[in-house]
Amino acid sequence: MLVGSRRYCIVLLSVLVACSPAAGQGVPTQPSTDDIVRENLERRMNTMRNLDVLSRRTASEKREAAKVMYFRPELTSELKEKLGVTPSVLAVYSELLRQQGTGAVRLLAQEDCEKIRKVSRLAACYQENANIREFANAYSFRENRRAVFARADIAVTSQYLVGGRHSVQTLLVDIGKKEVIRINGDSPEIAFLFNFRPASDASGIDAQFEELKTGLTVAELDEGRVIHTFSYSKAAKIVPGNVYAIRSISYRPEGSEPLAKDADVVVVFKVVETPGEEGTTLVWKEILRNPGMEMKSGQGNDEN
């Protein structure tokens, strides 16, 4: 028993000696107050960091959940009020608006919901955008009515006019400070819209789309001198007071019966109001209307 006890004590002593801060001292030194404060601070910072990561992850999950929710479009009374063209515009352009093939329309841009920090506001933003997409964002000159972008000729963002891209070929051009009432089929500013020969087969249509997407610059000449250039594309910067022209050519399947939207139109319009992101008001006049085109099933059927 004595030998066993002695062996146990020796082992215990060796452990104590090995663990001691300095040989010959059996009791380790106590941590200083600064060490304790530093350790507590590090522990607190780690806890805060973990909570921050968790809260960010939770917020992100809530944002994603809000995105995938289904929002049924609704034409609210508030939206109807925003869509009204102001009486002052109607009064100023009354002479033009008395003519056939004219009109005034107010279009609203969708809000960028990704800029919203508060998750609680996201659902309202997505709902409002659903309402705007359905009732307020785009217009069909071919049908003379508001339409969703998939059926429209023109739509707006907060900064740009955007030509239609679904079953239509659109050419949009900014012709500057002009008067809509003075623009007609003989105006040189829109001559290219009449001269453009749209392709009739899918590959040709796609090629023209890509060319117009990047922009096509056309020069206006006078006795061999370039006096002005115009850029035709799928989008144009919104400039209050400027006049724009658009040609929208609809396509339908070969052999199908034409509908009201199946038309080829040239329209000029002026941006007369742009009160921030609340909306953009266009006063427009139709210059030309022809039947739309059939999309040929084969290749090499272009009319170019």
Side-chain angles (χ1 to χ4, degrees):
M1 293 294 292
L2 181 59
V3 174
S5 299
R6 184 178 300 167
R7 184 181 299 116
Y8 179 81
C9 291
I10 291 171
V11 172
L12 183 59
L13 179 61
S14 66
V15 172
L16 288 174
V17 171
C19 294
S20 298
Q25 297 182 6
V27 180
T29 59
Q30 296 294 321
S32 66
T33 302
D34 289 343
D35 291 335
I36 295 174
V37 170
R38 188 179 301 109
E39 183 180 352
N40 289 338
L41 179 61
E42 290 178 356
R43 185 182 299 112
R44 186 179 300 109
M45 293 301 293
N46 286 334
T47 300
M48 291 176 63
R49 181 167 59 250
N50 292 336
L51 289 174
D52 182 60
V53 170
L54 181 61
S55 64
R56 287 175 183 271
R57 185 180 303 153
T58 302
S60 176
E61 291 171 353
K62 287 182 178 179
R63 293 180 76 92
E64 293 302 318
K67 285 183 182 179
V68 300
M69 287 179 63
Y70 178 71
F71 297 95
R72 186 183 300 277
E74 180 182 359
L75 184 56
T76 62
S77 57
E78 181 182 359
L79 185 58
K80 286 182 181 179
E81 185 176 348
K82 289 181 180 179
L83 292 176
V85 178
T86 59
S88 60
V89 168
L90 298 176
V92 169
Y93 294 93
S94 60
E95 180 183 354
L96 172 67
L97 296 175
R98 281 196 292 267
Q99 301 177 16
Q100 285 191 332
T102 63
V105 62
R106 186 177 179 84
L107 301 178
L108 305 184
Q110 297 178 64
E111 186 177 356
D112 184 1
C113 298
E114 298 305 313
K115 292 181 178 180
I116 295 177
R117 297 286 185 178
K118 291 185 177 180
V119 177
S120 59
R121 287 192 55 219
L122 276 178
C125 181
Y126 291 135
Q127 178 63 61
E128 182 66 10
N129 278 353
N131 300 343
I132 290 173
R133 278 195 305 271
E134 183 72 19
F135 301 109
N137 183 237
Y139 192 80
S140 171
F141 297 116
R142 289 170 289 126
E143 298 182 85
N144 190 18
R145 70 178 185 90
R146 296 182 185 276
V148 294
F149 187 55
R151 294 172 58 91
D153 300 319
I154 196 76
V156 297
T157 69
S158 59
Q159 296 183 352
Y160 289 89
L161 297 159
V162 182
R165 301 176 182 179
H166 300 271
S167 300
V168 293
Q169 187 76 279
T170 50
L171 299 80
L172 182 63
V173 60
D174 179 353
I175 58 178
K177 304 296 183 184
K178 306 288 183 178
E179 287 301 325
V180 172
I181 201 168
R182 298 184 184 280
I183 302 295
N184 55 52
D186 296 325
S187 299
E189 296 92 341
I190 60 174
F192 181 75
L193 294 181
F194 294 96
N195 295 331
F196 178 78
R197 300 182 65 187
S200 59
D201 68 279
S203 60
I205 295 168
D206 290 343
Q208 288 182 334
F209 182 94
E210 290 300 318
E211 184 177 37
L212 290 165
K213 187 173 68 173
T214 55
L216 181 63
T217 300
V218 177
E220 180 186 350
L221 303 177
D222 183 18
E223 297 182 353
R225 295 183 301 106
V226 176
I227 59 174
H228 208 296
T229 58
F230 299 98
S231 179
Y232 296 82
S233 64
K234 296 294 181 183
K237 182 86 170 180
I238 295 176
V239 180
N242 274 20
V243 171
Y244 301 78
I246 188 171
R247 182 176 176 184
S248 182
I249 308 153
S250 72
Y251 286 89
R252 69 180 193 276
E254 188 174 11
S256 64
E257 291 296 321
L259 303 174
K261 69 181 183 65
D262 295 318
D264 177 355
V265 299
V266 175
V267 173
V268 295
F269 59 90
K270 184 175 183 178
V271 175
V272 297
E273 278 188 333
T274 53
E277 295 187 357
E278 283 296 307
T280 299
T281 301
L282 312 177
V283 172
W284 59 271
K285 177 177 74 171
E286 185 178 297
I287 302 293
L288 180 71
R289 176 175 289 262
N290 284 320
M293 296 189 64
E294 288 183 284
M295 183 184 293
K296 304 297 183 182
S297 56
Q299 293 186 353
N301 296 317
D302 293 359
E303 298 184 3
N304 288 328

